[in-house]
Amino acid sequence: MSDQTLLSPQAKTKPAIRRLSSVSTTFEELTLGPSVVVPPEHMMKPSDAHETAAAMEMAKHRLKDLESGPGDLTPPSPPQTNFTDQYAFAFDIDGVLIRGGKPIPQAVEAMKVLNGQNEYGVKVLLKEADTDCAIAIHMRYLAVHPTLHGPYSCFDPGHTPMREMAQKYNTVLVVGGEGDKCRTVAEGYGFKDVVTPGDIIKDNKDTTPFRKLTQDETDHSRARNFGETEIEAIFVFADSRDWAGDQQIILDLLMSKKGRLGTRSETFDEGPPIFFSHNDIVWSTSHNLTRIGMGALRASLEAMYKAITGKDLISTAFGKPQIGTFQFATRLLQQWRKDTHGINAPPQTVYFVGDTPESDIRGTNEFNASELSENTWYSILVRTGVFQEGTKPAFQPNATVDNVLEAVKYGIQREVDRSMKSKIQQLSEQQEAIVEE
């Protein structure tokens, strides 16, 4: 959409601009209203100066509003709703959109604002930044509101960096989540042969001395002879529901010969690689204090592996603050713009809204400062999750606001102000060029 559609007030009548001679104009004529004063030789020449002057007059009033602050703005009736192709929003989920499995109240309103219910009538593209296999469940809480169908529906929650690994590995162990839900997600990503801890325990109940499968777990676990199976990679998709059992199985594989359970490598460097979908040590839940997350599981595994083998565990974490996650998000946004609008480029600015300074803010800032970033990533920290008022964030955001609704309003207003100031600058340059003539 054009700057005019997004930014300009809808004037009821066209301003009356008069052209006056620089030689014969009187003081009274100058005080009667908007005027353009030109040299005599240009008095009768065709010109679009009146249109430029009218725009300048409107721009001056708008600039005065901008300088007085957003709270003093009295916008006109919203224009026709359109998508903006200049910027987009990306969100962490836990602590930003939901908390304890329920939507944060302002999140619902934020989705409406992004869907065009704002003073400028602009729809803004967004992307949920979450690699947890439970993302479909997360979005269900927001989807119960029928008014929330909008620009975010173009993204399948399965689009994560792990999806790109499906072509590299065949037989994989997927850890985390409830039951075998993450197996379903992994198969949806394109993984051809997916194993769960339940499958391994079903094959050999002595694998985890203190964990016994329930009848439902037994029914959903697949029978298999793991003495003849080579597991090529381990993926921790979601938070473990059984740290002791899952860590025992993971350690068995890491110390195995080529991913065969029941074997033990003499050098401890023959096991499969391990990948984590994110690296947050703590995360926000319905509890009043933060709870330990997947990053804590990773740290625990690294410590145990070191204690047993004497070697450092080499592992890979996707998600924030890893730069690869932001590269992936940029590619995804660019592909969406190309498919829907024919624009083969990422948005100029992506506003990333998160609640964890150590991952959300750090990742956004570091990616934005890196040579790998093709556009601007702008970090916004909210107070509804891990970060709480009264503490100093370890990594400073570009802005800190109370909740996701305020973050959305902040980003949109910032873009409006930037566009208007750019417009005013262009009009000023045009005016100067006319006067020089």
Side-chain angles (χ1 to χ4, degrees), residues 11 34 36 92 106-107 199 238 241 267 279 293 304-305 326 351 378 387 432 437:
V36 176
D92 186 23
Q106 295 85 358
D199 298 345
R241 269 52 170 181
T267 58
N279 196 39
M304 285 191 291
Y305 185 84
F326 294 89
Y351 290 92
Y378 192 96
F387 173 72
E432 290 176 2
E437 292 182 358

Side-chain angles (χ1 to χ4, degrees), residues 111-152:
M111 297 301 106
K112 294 178 181 179
V113 171
L114 289 169
N115 200 28
Q117 296 185 32
N118 56 70
E119 58 192 281
Y120 304 106
V122 60
K123 287 186 178 182
V124 185
L125 179 66
L126 71 89
K127 174 74 178 79
E128 311 90 9
D130 198 322
T131 54
D132 193 303
C133 74
I135 186 173
I137 299 174
H138 289 340
M139 293 311 295
R140 181 183 68 200
Y141 291 101
L142 294 175
V144 297
H145 300 274
T147 60
L148 297 184
H149 300 294
Y152 50 86

